[in-house]
Amino acid sequence: MFGRRGTNQEEEKVAKKSAAPAITPAANTVVSEPGNDAPVAPEPQVSSVFGGKQTAKTASQASDAPDKAAIVKSAEKKASTSDRLSQIKVTVFNDLLEAVDLAEITKLETEEVREEITDMAAEIISMRGLTLTIQEQQQVVTDICNDILGLGPLEPLIARDDIADIMVNGAGKVYIETGGKIELTDITFRDNAQLMNICQRIVTAVGRRVDESSPICDARLADGSRVNVIAPPLSIDGATLTIRKFQKEKLTLESLVKFNSITPEMSRVLEVIGASRLNILISGGTGSGKTTLLNCMTQFIDKGERTITCEDSAELQLQQPHVVRLETRPPNLEGAGEITMRDLVKNCLRMRPERIIVGEVRGPEAFDLLQAMNTGHDGSMGTIHANTPREAISRVENMIAMGGYTLPAKAVREQISAAINIIIQATRLRDGSRKVTHITEILGMEGDVITLQDVYVYEIEGEDENGKIIGTHKPTGLRPAFWDKARYFGLERKLGEALGMTAGL
């Protein structure tokens, strides 16, 4: 029986490969099997079995039908396998919870924990008589280890270097940003309880908490990646988790040149600005690369300088040996014990800093930072949310007003113009690319208005056939006001070459 059926299958393959439009008689022959009264016809020639009628199809239909059926069958099989593995994983995980003390096992080294979990999972699978291939058993063990030690289903995304953001909108939807575009992934959580457990594990690791009484929390991962969690009841469809990933390889200005965010000449200008101890404000919208640019600017801080950083969640990655990192603290259950950014910046002034770096200026701490810049802490830096250099100045004014200061507007602007030397504008363009669009210096005051001067600007010229924006970074040709400061540090020649002003050097 099997020999005859195999013969007809070979004939069907020959018929499909044939260029003739008609079906060959051999391929259309009805075959009877021994011991079976009903004739068996090859599947491609049967259009309907209802009523016992058989109708021959064309050659193209005969070849298409098995392909479509195979695709559907493959998808159903994959879904069935996924459901089966999910049920097995839940079973093994529950047995593990009963057999071990997770609080004790997580105190071991990661590799030791993985070995223990692997051995115990294999024993549970054997005792329950579960049938798994080697690959399936490895997948179950890996998922359980990720649930206990890592971020569960998000672990594969954390390992990818091409992902900038991970956005979890409840248990069933996980989005990523890659190449400047947001995409939906096929990764899901088992349920909202699993997602909430992952969120609590992240924030607990940095001494914070998230629950119904405190549903909003900022935290960080071990590598410095920024994390925000907002839990029910504020988040209606389950916990929302947002992770701003940091690249494992620390970016430098040379990296930004490779990404076409800046030109080599701009890189040299920024290097002079950082080494000349100018006070810098990095401005930009959400996701424009402000923190990345701030990290790049800190590479020119001298190794002998004492630098103190103040952040809501520590994410700056300074390479210098003499760095003190400070982090704000939310209030406790009783609503007491909160340490704000302003508290940190004020305390910095008593810690003998040479440079103060504020991860993000967003409140009344702006006034304290300006005071620090004006009292000998040259080379201090910070970031601010704004879309243009002029708007950045207005934002600083508004933040100072938030602190309850009743200073005249002119006095506030004089303070700003005296404290801040350079505004670097980072922008995320509509095609997803990130560019440094302005290097702008503050010259001083003209009446009640702060005067600005662009040193470098980015001019958009159009877009290509793929929708990518085409533009050019151009120096304005104006001699910067910080020229004398660069000369003080012996960098005027480097600055002149970068700006194309070599005459007279």
Side-chain angles (χ1 to χ4, degrees), residues 19-276:
I23 300 176
T24 61
N28 201 28
T29 305
V30 176
V31 183
S32 299
E33 293 192 7
N36 188 355
D37 296 333
V40 179
E43 290 182 358
Q45 286 77 31
V46 179
S47 63
S48 176
V49 295
F50 299 107
K53 295 183 180 180
Q54 298 176 358
T55 306
K57 296 183 179 180
T58 63
S60 61
Q61 291 173 327
S63 62
D64 289 346
D67 293 339
K68 293 178 180 178
I71 292 172
V72 173
K73 187 175 181 180
S74 175
E76 292 176 348
K77 183 178 180 181
K78 185 176 180 180
S80 176
T81 301
S82 177
D83 292 341
R84 183 174 64 89
L85 287 180
S86 296
Q87 294 174 358
I88 291 175
K89 186 173 73 171
V90 172
T91 301
V92 175
F93 186 77
N94 290 336
D95 288 349
L96 271 174
L97 291 181
E98 295 178 0
V100 301
D101 184 355
L102 292 182
E104 291 297 326
I105 197 172
T106 51
K107 294 179 181 178
L108 303 174
E109 294 293 332
T110 302
E111 290 304 319
E112 294 179 359
V113 175
R114 289 188 181 275
E115 291 178 3
E116 289 288 335
I117 293 176
T118 300
D119 294 341
M120 297 187 70
E123 186 177 347
I124 292 171
I125 291 172
S126 176
M127 290 176 60
R128 284 188 169 272
L130 302 173
T131 304
L132 292 173
T133 64
I134 295 177
Q135 291 81 1
E136 289 175 341
Q137 182 168 329
Q138 289 176 345
Q139 181 180 342
V140 168
V141 172
T142 299
D143 289 347
I144 291 175
C145 288
N146 289 339
D147 282 345
I148 294 175
L149 301 173
L151 302 183
L154 300 182
E155 281 293 324
L157 301 181
I158 294 293
R160 286 177 53 181
D161 289 334
D162 61 327
I163 295 177
D165 290 89
I166 301 173
M167 295 150 280
V168 182
N169 302 347
K173 290 184 179 179
V174 178
Y175 290 87
I176 60 173
E177 181 196 321
T178 176
K181 303 294 183 182
I182 294 178
E183 303 173 2
L184 176 65
T185 69
D186 57 356
I187 291 176
T188 60
F189 288 81
R190 184 169 59 250
D191 50 33
N192 283 322
Q194 184 192 18
L195 172 57
M196 197 62 195
N197 286 336
I198 297 295
C199 295
Q200 289 174 338
R201 185 181 307 141
I202 293 173
V203 303
T204 302
V206 293
R208 303 193 177 187
R209 63 187 182 87
V210 59
D211 49 37
E212 289 188 2
S213 61
S214 179
I216 299 177
C217 183
D218 288 320
R220 67 180 187 277
L221 300 181
D223 63 355
S225 296
R226 185 189 310 167
V227 177
N228 176 265
V229 179
I230 181 163
L234 300 187
S235 181
I236 298 173
D237 300 321
T240 299
L241 172 65
T242 308
I243 300 176
R244 172 70 54 84
K245 279 189 58 188
F246 271 12
Q247 300 289 339
K248 293 181 180 178
E249 179 183 355
K250 295 178 175 61
L251 296 181
T252 62
L253 289 180
E254 290 75 17
S255 305
L256 300 187
V257 172
K258 292 179 183 178
F259 298 149
N260 295 320
S261 296
I262 58 176
T263 62
E265 293 76 18
M266 288 181 72
S267 173
R268 290 195 287 273
V269 171
L270 293 176
E271 182 177 346
V272 171
I273 290 172
S276 299

Side-chain angles (χ1 to χ4, degrees), residues 2-13:
F2 296 107
R4 295 184 64 186
R5 186 180 294 272
T7 302
N8 282 283
Q9 288 176 344
E10 293 176 1
E11 292 175 350
E12 289 173 13
K13 294 179 181 178

